[in-house]
Amino acid sequence: MNRKKSLKQAFINKYGEDLKFSDEDMQLVLNKVHNKKVEQPKRKFSMGPVLMLILTPLIMMILILSSEHLLMTDSKDAEPTAESDRRLFGDAGIQTIIKNDLFTEINQTVEKNGVAFTIHEIMYDGTRLALVYSMDKEESNQKGSTHPEFPFFKLSIDGKPFIDYSEGSSYADEKNKFLQEFHTYTDIPDQFQLSIDILRLGEIEGPWSFEFSLEKIKEKHYESPGKSIAKGDTSLTLNELSFSASSTNLNIDMTEPIEKQRERTGTYIFEVRDNKGNSIAHMTSGATGGGDRDGKFVENFNEYFEPVDKLPKSITIIPYLEKREEMDYITMPLNQELPIYLEQDQFGGIEIKEVEQKQGEIWIYYEGKGVSESFRSWVDLKEKGSNTPIERINNYEKTANGYVSKFKTSLPLERLIVSTAKRNITKLEGLELEVEIHN
């Protein structure tokens, strides 16, 4: 199968050719982008996500006597990392890279046609390449756009064009900074010369060209099991498995008759658990691709789960079929006795464990229950009677006991409702694949 990924074809494979995207849908997306509510928005404070659970009387005394500024600072048990006080952004894996100070500083700026393009830092850990960049445009190039014009990247590795990736952009930690991710499908040398050309920025032609040396973070643990399981006319194959600093990366094939694929509604998603039954939560997906192979349809998935602290003895992959329907939500008043449980489906949901009110902010601590441990979901906050989501300070931060989402609002709890999306998923019985990990 051709492993070059077509994003257009991937979108069709994932959501269907008859997917309709109305003007109302477009306006909703643009409003979200304008308000920085999608992907990973910028952070406005450098506070850690978790308060200490046990405080000695002396610490309590210090906190009581401290200034308001100290009360608003991080009281999390500090991790032994150089960047523990840095603002976090990205998914849980990128947050791990930040906490462990594993980005390489670049801070190169190229100016052309009234645009100063800067690459601030970059990392490659064997499964994905990620960089933080910013753009500074002259007033003459400001055309009243209400959303950022994302650049068109071209990569070269050691002088040769590199195209085996899917990509995505999101907001980073500061104003006008963005995180660009390249989810790779083929290996890159441990040390290499990286060339990046930004060919254009909206209607502004480039290129803005950069070149520098880069070294892979650590040595990833890599398995190529080629192990399969089948039930009836459907099979699941794990092609590759990688444990890196920022992710647990699985390359999976789902094989089924072509007629069945054409009739199928929805897409495959995957739950992953270790040998102790602990969930390895999903973060993001690279573009999917599919095609005819020996008379059957083979769909390939490049899936990114959270990094692990210690290699498990084995993992188990559990596939589900998720039907794409009109989005529905389960909502609850935020001002009630905790924990608050939001049931997403018969397999699990989200449990809100703690709610903190701060100056102009509300922090919601939550974790997944059941299958929702693997499929980490969004938590949204709205004012009662309104359909407009309250502005986020972040999408989420990974903590030792789950996740925290932060919202910018001074509204009292009794005027707020919390919600998350319902799901329609079906477990594919008999297709659970257990794979041993060889150290």
Side-chain angles (χ1 to χ4, degrees):
M1 181 179 65
N2 187 350
R3 295 181 60 81
K4 295 180 181 178
K5 309 297 176 180
S6 165
L7 293 180
K8 179 179 178 181
Q9 186 60 47
F11 193 89
I12 293 173
N13 290 338
K14 201 171 187 68
Y15 299 107
E17 293 184 352
D18 58 347
L19 183 69
K20 295 181 179 180
F21 195 64
S22 67
D23 291 342
E24 183 179 356
D25 294 327
M26 176 65 75
Q27 188 60 49
L28 177 61
V29 171
L30 292 179
N31 287 342
K32 287 186 176 182
V33 172
H34 177 53
N35 292 320
K36 300 186 179 182
K37 296 172 188 170
V38 296
E39 295 290 353
Q40 286 77 25
K42 66 179 181 180
R43 308 297 171 89
K44 298 189 178 180
F45 295 92
S46 56
M47 293 176 284
V50 184
L51 296 175
M52 289 189 296
L53 299 178
I54 301 175
L55 296 174
T56 65
L58 177 59
I59 296 176
M60 287 293 290
M61 182 72 71
I62 292 172
L63 287 176
I64 291 171
L65 296 177
S66 296
S67 66
E68 179 180 350
H69 172 73
L70 289 177
L71 285 171
M72 290 293 291
T73 58
D74 185 6
S75 58
K76 177 184 175 182
D77 290 329
E79 297 180 4
T81 62
E83 290 287 316
S84 60
D85 62 343
R86 185 179 172 185
R87 296 170 184 168
L88 299 177
F89 57 88
D91 58 36
I94 296 295
Q95 291 175 27
T96 298
I97 296 294
I98 295 169
K99 291 176 183 178
N100 290 295
D101 192 21
L102 295 176
F103 270 106
T104 297
E105 287 191 12
I106 301 298
N107 292 326
Q108 289 186 15
T109 300
V110 175
E111 297 185 26
K112 187 170 185 178
N113 295 334
V115 177
F117 198 102
T118 302
I119 294 180
H120 298 277
E121 55 189 345
I122 194 167
M123 81 90 191
Y124 173 66
D125 69 351
T127 62
R128 58 178 166 173
L129 179 71
L131 59 90
V132 177
Y133 70 91
S134 64
M135 302 168 290
D136 187 10
K137 295 192 287 186
E138 291 180 354
E139 289 187 8
S140 60
N141 281 320
Q142 305 291 340
K143 300 187 178 182
S145 175
T146 59
H147 60 281
E149 297 168 313
F150 292 113
F152 185 86
F153 288 88
K154 176 184 176 183
L155 304 184
S156 295
I157 302 295
D158 292 333
K160 298 179 180 179
F162 181 72
I163 60 173
D164 290 324
Y165 60 82
S166 61
E167 61 182 296
S169 290
S170 58
Y171 291 98
D173 56 336
E174 299 175 20
K175 183 179 180 181
N176 296 327
K177 280 191 175 182
F178 300 88
L179 172 69
Q180 177 77 13
E181 294 185 47
F182 302 94
H183 303 113
T184 59
Y185 290 91
T186 57
D187 281 338
I188 298 174
D190 290 355
Q191 293 181 323
F192 57 94
Q193 196 74 10
L194 176 63
S195 299
I196 299 176
D197 294 312
I198 295 89
L199 300 181
R200 63 178 179 272
L201 179 60
E203 297 179 1
I204 307 172
E205 293 294 330
W208 296 263
S209 298
F210 301 82
E211 186 171 1
F212 41 81
S213 297
L214 192 60
E215 184 174 353
K216 183 173 70 174
I217 297 172
K218 301 179 180 178
E219 181 64 33
K220 71 174 181 178
H221 180 85
Y222 170 83
E223 301 264 342
S224 184
K227 189 172 182 180
S228 298
I229 189 170
K231 183 181 180 183
D233 54 13
T234 302
S235 66
L236 181 155
T237 301
L238 177 62
N239 300 311
E240 298 175 2
L241 170 63
S242 300
F243 296 95
S244 70
S246 75
S247 74
T248 301
N249 181 216
L250 280 68
N251 186 288
I252 298 171
D253 281 348
M254 293 294 298
T255 303
E256 60 192 345
I258 294 176
E259 296 76 13
K260 185 175 182 179
Q261 185 273 332
R262 289 172 179 167
E263 296 173 358
R264 168 167 54 87
T265 57
T267 187
Y268 292 115
I269 58 177
F270 307 93
E271 178 184 9
V272 175
R273 294 188 177 271
D274 65 17
N275 52 288
K276 295 182 179 180
N278 300 315
S279 170
I280 304 176
H282 187 263
M283 297 188 302
T284 190
S285 300
T288 63
D292 185 350
R293 186 190 299 171
D294 298 329
K296 290 191 174 183
F297 187 84
V298 181
E299 188 169 9
N300 177 257
F301 297 83
N302 189 25
E303 303 297 326
Y304 289 79
F305 295 79
E306 291 184 1
V308 297
D309 295 328
K310 183 180 179 181
L311 283 180
K313 293 182 179 179
S314 66
I315 65 165
T316 299
I317 305 167
I318 308 163
Y320 294 79
L321 183 64
E322 181 179 28
K323 292 185 178 179
R324 302 294 187 181
E325 300 174 334
E326 183 177 351
M327 191 65 72
D328 192 13
Y329 295 87
I330 177 170
T331 62
M332 291 277 189
L334 192 58
N335 186 30
Q336 60 176 298
E337 184 178 353
L338 297 173
I340 301 172
Y341 182 64
L342 304 173
E343 184 177 2
Q344 295 181 280
D345 51 48
Q346 72 271 29
F347 298 105
I350 289 176
E351 182 177 88
I352 297 174
K353 305 191 305 182
E354 184 180 354
V355 178
E356 283 191 87
Q357 285 184 288
K358 298 180 179 289
Q359 187 174 3
E361 300 176 16
I362 286 182
W363 294 10
I364 298 178
Y365 295 85
Y366 66 99
E367 64 180 4
K369 295 293 183 181
V371 169
S372 296
E373 289 181 272
S374 283
F375 305 140
R376 194 203 61 74
S377 301
W378 305 112
V379 172
D380 287 318
L381 196 62
K382 297 179 182 178
E383 184 178 5
K384 289 182 179 178
S386 172
N387 289 323
T388 303
I390 289 174
E391 181 180 353
R392 292 177 178 272
I393 298 171
N394 72 340
N395 271 344
Y396 75 94
E397 289 178 16
K398 177 71 182 294
T399 77
N401 298 307
Y403 305 93
V404 57
S405 287
K406 303 175 184 179
F407 301 87
K408 185 177 181 180
T409 180
S410 298
L411 293 173
L413 296 185
E414 56 267 22
R415 290 178 57 184
L416 296 171
I417 58 173
V418 64
S419 67
T420 193
K422 291 184 178 180
R423 290 186 307 235
N424 184 351
I425 61 176
T426 303
K427 184 177 180 180
L428 303 183
E429 301 289 350
L431 284 173
E432 298 183 8
L433 178 63
E434 183 177 0
V435 179
E436 293 184 359
I437 309 301
H438 303 285
N439 294 316

